[in-house]
Amino acid sequence: MTEQVHIHILDAGQALVSVPALADVLTDCVAGGASVSFMWPLPRERALQFWQGVADGVARKERVLLVARDDNGDIIGTVQLITAMPDNQPHRADVAKMLVHRKARRRGVAQALMAAVEKTARAEGKTVLVLDTVTGGDAERLYERAGWQKVGVVPNYALMPDGEFCGTSFFHKQI
C-alpha cells in the first residue's frame, strides 16, 4: 500500500504549533547538504527562530505556509508562498523554502507541494511566481519538469552548508 501525501495550509496558530516539526525538517535538509540559507551545523535554536519568524509572517498575512504530512500526520515537507510584495508587484509572489525530509524523498512530496503552492497562488490572485535554487540540484530538475522557466544562473551566489560556493538558478512561472 502506498502512503499518501496530505497537503495543508497552516493558519497562524497551526504554524506556531508546528515550529518544532518544521525545525526538524529544516535541520534534516541542511544536514543532507541543502543550500537553503543555513550553514551546518545548524543549531536547534536557530532553526526554531527561523520558523517562529515564518509563523509571525503567516500571522501578518505576508506569507502562506504549506506543509506535507504523511499518513501518521507527521510533517515531511513544506513550502512557502511569500505574498507581501511592493506596491508595483501585487500580482507576484515568491516561492521559498521548498523542503522535503530525506526520509520522504522520491515519493512525490515535492511535486505535490509545488502543485499546491501554485494553486494557492492563483487563489491569492498571483499570476507571476519567482523562485531560486541551487544550480544543478534535484530541485532545479523538479522545477523544469513542472514548467518553470529558468531565467539565468549567478555563479558563487551562495554557500552550501559545508562552506563551498554554489551557483543559484532563478526561475519564474506565469500562472
Side-chain angles (χ1 to χ4, degrees):
M1 183 170 161
T2 304
E3 187 172 28
Q4 297 293 312
V5 175
H6 309 276
I7 307 297
H8 304 278
I9 295 174
L10 302 186
D11 65 25
Q14 294 166 326
L16 191 58
V17 169
S18 299
V19 164
L22 289 162
D24 291 343
V25 173
L26 175 61
T27 300
D28 175 75
C29 290
V30 175
S35 178
V36 290
S37 304
F38 298 92
M39 303 303 290
W40 189 253
L42 175 57
R44 176 88 175 150
E45 185 57 34
R46 177 73 180 103
L48 292 168
Q49 287 172 348
F50 171 76
W51 287 109
Q52 176 65 55
V54 170
D56 293 346
V58 170
R60 291 188 304 269
K61 307 284 190 219
E62 296 171 349
R63 63 184 65 221
V64 179
L65 176 61
L66 294 88
V67 297
R69 294 183 186 274
D70 63 16
D71 286 338
N72 296 323
D74 296 330
I75 294 176
I76 54 173
T78 184
V79 67
Q80 297 172 51
L81 183 70
I82 301 173
T83 56
M85 292 292 136
D87 289 349
N88 69 341
Q89 298 171 40
H91 59 290
R92 184 175 77 76
D94 290 348
V95 174
K97 295 296 181 279
M98 218 287 284
L99 306 168
V100 176
H101 196 287
R102 287 179 289 176
K103 70 181 179 186
R105 294 198 181 152
R106 307 278 181 226
R107 296 186 352 215
V109 176
Q111 292 90 337
L113 283 165
M114 289 306 293
V117 81
E118 288 179 25
K119 180 179 176 182
T120 301
R122 282 186 205 93
E124 293 280 329
K126 305 302 180 179
T127 58
V128 178
L129 299 180
V130 178
L131 63 79
D132 65 83
T133 191
V134 172
T135 302
D138 290 340
E140 185 176 45
R141 290 183 290 280
L142 166 76
Y143 302 138
E144 289 171 341
R145 285 191 310 269
W148 287 72
Q149 301 298 308
K150 187 189 289 189
V151 179
V153 174
V154 178
N156 300 324
Y157 185 81
L159 297 175
M160 299 298 287
D162 65 3
E164 292 293 319
F165 282 103
C166 65
T168 297
S169 296
F170 290 84
F171 286 83
H172 74 93
K173 189 169 188 179
Q174 309 291 313
I175 59 171

